[in-house]
Amino acid sequence: MLTIGILGVGELTEKVVMGLRRGGFAGRVLLSPRNHERAQQLSRQCTCEVMADNQQVVDETDLLLLGVRPEVVEQLSNEIHLKPQQTLVSLVAGLKHSELQRCFPQARPVRAMLSYAAQINQSTVVITPGGEPHETLLGTLGSLTVLDDEAAFELATVAACMNGWFYFFLSDLQQWFTDKGLSKEQAAQLVMGNMQDCLASARHQPQASLEALGSAIATPGTFTAVGLEVLRSNGATLAWREALEEVLNRLHKAS
Ligand SMILES: NC(=O)c1ccc[n+]([C@@H]2O[C@H](COP(=O)([O-])OP(=O)(O)OC[C@H]3O[C@@H](n4cnc5c(N)ncnc54)[C@H](OP(=O)(O)O)[C@@H]3O)[C@@H](O)[C@H]2O)c1
């Protein structure tokens, strides 16, 4: 059975481990010891083993998940020596294949992008390249997309940022409803419920374009159309494009 190792036990990787266990992964999970308290807690919660050092994680593992912050990767790479062709799944945003290969010349590098919904096996999971064993393993965390090239993968990175922005967008909407007198719970129900309705409806009609679905609701003279006009004339829709472009530019500069 596969043994996996976590280099960097933090916000993201602990959710990945929770999701893997929840998705039925029964193999050994070995954790790097740094942030000892956190690693111990995850180990109790998800039946993992905290190793003595990073090299021990590498030595006893078939597949490694790299979950440290970008600025730490170089220093970590000097600490450890991977096995030939050991699969190294990097979750580090913006870190290119060429950089991974330079830092970990022995590795078979894979890039993965996912969200915190991995902990409940409902994340959008994007990987490049495909292959086993990582495809099957990460596929248990949600809905898997395999991309062939890195340029497309960077777009998936932008989409993962969008996931984070949605929380703030929804929070602003919720705040407006609470300012108008609804309870937090009522406002959350209205905001998330309507977002959910939109997604459910769009997924139910995959052949229809999103633009067409919106236009069928925002017909001339409707209240929806009035609000849409205000959003567009205030640059709200343009601002989303600009944010997407800015993140993509930063990702290109990071290469
Ligand atoms: N791919 C995706 O879908 C996605 C989504 C979100 C985030 N990310 C990426 O995930 C990475 C982690 O983000 P995060 O928010 O989870 O960060 P985090 O909570 O800071 O976790 C990183 C962990 O790595 C530990 N660490 C630092 N140096 C180490 C070393 N030499 N050996 C072992 N562990 C070490 C840190 O310990 P200390 O606190 O003691 O330094 C910390 O516990 C980032 O690179 C980010 O870009 C990816």
Side-chain angles (χ1 to χ4, degrees):
M1 184 173 287
L2 196 72
T3 296
I4 64 171
I6 311 295
L7 294 170
V9 177
E11 285 295 334
L12 182 64
T13 50
E14 67 185 12
K15 290 168 183 72
V16 171
V17 171
M18 285 174 203
L20 290 176
R21 284 299 192 220
R22 200 172 172 273
F25 179 72
R28 294 173 73 202
V29 177
L30 314 184
L31 307 178
S32 55
R34 180 149 160 170
N35 243 326
H36 200 68
E37 268 300 295
R38 192 165 204 163
Q40 287 291 353
Q41 197 186 329
L42 183 63
S43 149
R44 283 191 294 274
Q45 197 178 346
C46 294
T47 324
C48 310
E49 299 163 53
V50 183
M51 307 311 275
D53 55 40
N54 286 335
Q55 188 59 49
Q56 202 184 356
V57 176
V58 173
D59 291 344
E60 297 193 26
T61 289
D62 304 305
L63 179 150
L64 288 162
L65 282 169
L66 182 65
V68 296
R69 290 181 177 258
E71 61 274 17
V72 174
V73 172
E74 181 99 43
Q75 173 231 320
L76 172 65
S77 73
N78 295 327
E79 263 179 56
I80 54 176
H81 190 71
L82 269 59
K83 296 183 264 191
Q85 287 304 296
Q86 191 167 18
T87 302
L88 176 73
V89 177
S90 168
L91 298 165
V92 183
L95 193 72
K96 302 282 178 293
H97 264 123
S98 54
E99 268 301 284
L100 284 166
Q101 204 77 77
R102 184 183 68 74
C103 291
F104 306 96
Q106 306 282 82
R108 175 188 171 221
V110 175
R111 295 183 68 187
M113 189 52 57
L114 36 78
S115 75
Y116 286 6
Q119 67 188 310
I120 49 167
N121 310 88
Q122 289 183 36
S123 176
T124 299
V125 181
V126 183
I127 58 171
T128 186
E132 295 300 342
H134 55 279
E135 210 172 304
T136 300
L137 185 79
L138 297 175
T140 66
L141 298 175
S143 153
L144 184 78
T145 299
V146 180
L147 294 176
D148 292 332
D149 69 87
E150 218 167 20
F153 186 83
E154 293 313 1
L155 293 175
T157 308
V158 179
C161 295
M162 203 174 66
N163 166 273
W165 305 336
F166 286 151
Y167 289 96
F168 296 96
F169 172 52
L170 297 177
S171 171
D172 287 347
L173 296 174
Q174 181 190 22
Q175 186 62 51
W176 184 84
F177 285 105
T178 55
D179 289 347
K180 295 292 177 194
L182 291 189
S183 71
K184 260 186 159 179
E185 293 70 28
Q186 289 167 332
Q189 176 53 32
L190 286 185
V191 170
M192 289 196 280
N194 277 286
M195 178 65 98
Q196 186 65 44
D197 292 356
C198 167
L199 296 177
S201 207
R203 286 198 194 279
H204 180 66
Q205 306 165 77
Q207 71 295 344
S209 72
L210 296 173
E211 172 75 27
L213 292 174
S215 298
I217 300 167
T219 51
T222 58
F223 293 120
T224 307
V226 169
L228 183 63
E229 184 49 41
V230 174
L231 286 170
R232 286 185 167 156
S233 60
N234 279 283
T237 46
L238 187 65
W240 281 87
R241 286 191 72 91
E242 286 181 358
L244 294 165
E245 290 289 348
E246 178 65 23
V247 173
L248 186 60
N249 285 340
R250 297 277 179 112
L251 284 165
H252 285 156
K253 277 188 202 142
S255 56

